[in-house]
Amino acid sequence: DGGITQSPKYLFRKEGQNVTLSCEQNLNHDAMYWYRQDPGQGLRLIYYSQIVNDFQKGDIAEGYSVSREKKESFPLTVTSAQKNPTAFYLCASSIIWGGGTEAFFGQGTRLTVV
Amino acid sequence: DAKTTQPTSMDCAEGRAANLPCNHSTISGNEYVYWYRQIHSQGPQYIIHGLKNNETNEMASLIITEDRKSSTLILPHATLRDTAVYYCIVIPQSGGYQKVTFGTGTKLQVIP
């Protein structure tokens, strides 16, 4: 079935370590997004990409990095520079051009830094 | 891009219709209204969208006012599984989600 897959579902890391969250989609979508969600809050955009080998910063990109080497994959690295990395991370994808663009979300990765 | 305003929370009795309002008074002519819901600790799920006409699918109905400044999502027979946070967003016809704001949505509690 077509969809978007995030892994792992839960991730624990020690403070100061970089960690990479995986996001894969088989929907042939051009656009992919990473969001952060804190308890009781909405989604905040970290990075987005509309084409392979290109990506743009969102509202809260500091302390994060991404790559888009393949259309299907958009991994997010949470670096040691991110001051408060514990959060729920969501990846999404969508088409860009056309009438109406439904976004598909992964099931999220809950990152806990201790 | 247009922003939306939703009530923070709502309750609905199981089996009754849940009517969730959304204000988007600054919406422009080429922007769609989309509704998503997020069940606790899962990714948001698409429900329905519309431009100016009312829409219905197997999950819900969307009523958009004639001036397009507000809309209502209707879950005709709410069940306990409909307990979730519901997000109303506005998105242009093309260009993607990079300028879309997912606020805190409406937390719907369906009561037995």
Side-chain angles (χ1 to χ4, degrees):
Chain A
D1 288 353
I4 183 163
T5 303
Q6 290 186 241
S7 62
K9 190 170 176 63
Y10 298 96
L11 192 54
F12 295 87
R13 279 295 182 269
K14 291 183 178 180
E15 193 171 343
Q17 288 182 333
N18 291 355
V19 60
T20 298
L21 283 58
S22 170
C23 179
E24 303 277 333
Q25 55 100 357
N26 60 4
L27 300 164
N28 200 33
H29 286 170
D30 288 311
M32 297 187 74
Y33 315 84
W34 273 106
Y35 294 91
R36 170 182 172 137
Q37 187 174 37
D38 294 289
Q41 302 299 309
L43 280 62
R44 292 187 289 170
L45 183 64
I46 304 173
Y47 267 99
Y48 67 96
S49 169
Q50 294 189 316
I51 193 170
V52 174
N53 292 323
D54 185 60
F55 47 83
Q56 304 296 328
K57 293 181 179 180
D59 300 321
I60 56 165
E62 185 175 352
Y64 300 97
S65 67
V66 294
S67 63
R68 187 87 187 275
E69 298 177 0
K70 299 186 300 182
K71 188 175 186 178
E72 303 78 19
S73 179
F74 191 41
L76 173 75
T77 297
V78 184
T79 75
S80 57
Q82 168 51 233
K83 291 180 172 44
N84 185 19
T86 294
F88 188 51
Y89 291 88
L90 286 159
C91 181
S93 70
S94 75
I95 62 172
I96 302 174
W97 310 110
T101 54
E102 173 189 348
F104 290 77
F105 284 83
Q107 288 305 295
T109 293
R110 189 167 298 280
L111 173 65
T112 302
V113 175
V114 295
Chain B
D1 289 338
K3 299 297 185 288
T4 62
T5 304
Q6 300 176 253
T8 303
S9 63
M10 295 180 64
D11 291 339
C12 177
E14 188 177 16
R16 305 297 292 267
N19 296 280
L20 289 83
C22 180
N23 181 286
H24 31 80
S25 57
T26 59
I27 192 170
S28 62
N30 70 339
E31 290 180 320
Y32 285 76
V33 179
Y34 271 70
W35 285 82
Y36 287 81
R37 75 178 182 185
Q38 186 178 24
I39 296 170
H40 183 64
S41 294
Q42 296 183 23
Q45 174 193 22
Y46 165 82
I47 302 173
I48 198 168
H49 74 279
L51 185 61
K52 54 184 178 181
N53 297 322
N54 297 338
E55 302 288 345
T56 295
N57 63 20
E58 65 277 6
M59 290 181 68
S61 294
L62 175 60
I63 308 297
I64 302 175
T65 58
E66 192 169 345
D67 63 8
R68 301 187 68 238
K69 293 185 177 181
S70 65
S71 61
T72 300
L73 178 74
I74 301 172
L75 307 178
H77 306 286
T79 71
L80 298 178
R81 287 177 293 181
D82 292 322
T83 292
V85 176
Y86 288 77
Y87 298 100
C88 168
I89 65 169
V90 171
I91 180 168
Q93 187 172 13
S94 60
Y97 279 68
Q98 58 271 20
K99 294 184 179 179
V100 171
T101 300
F102 283 87
T104 52
T106 296
K107 186 171 184 177
L108 176 68
Q109 182 73 46
V110 179
I111 302 168

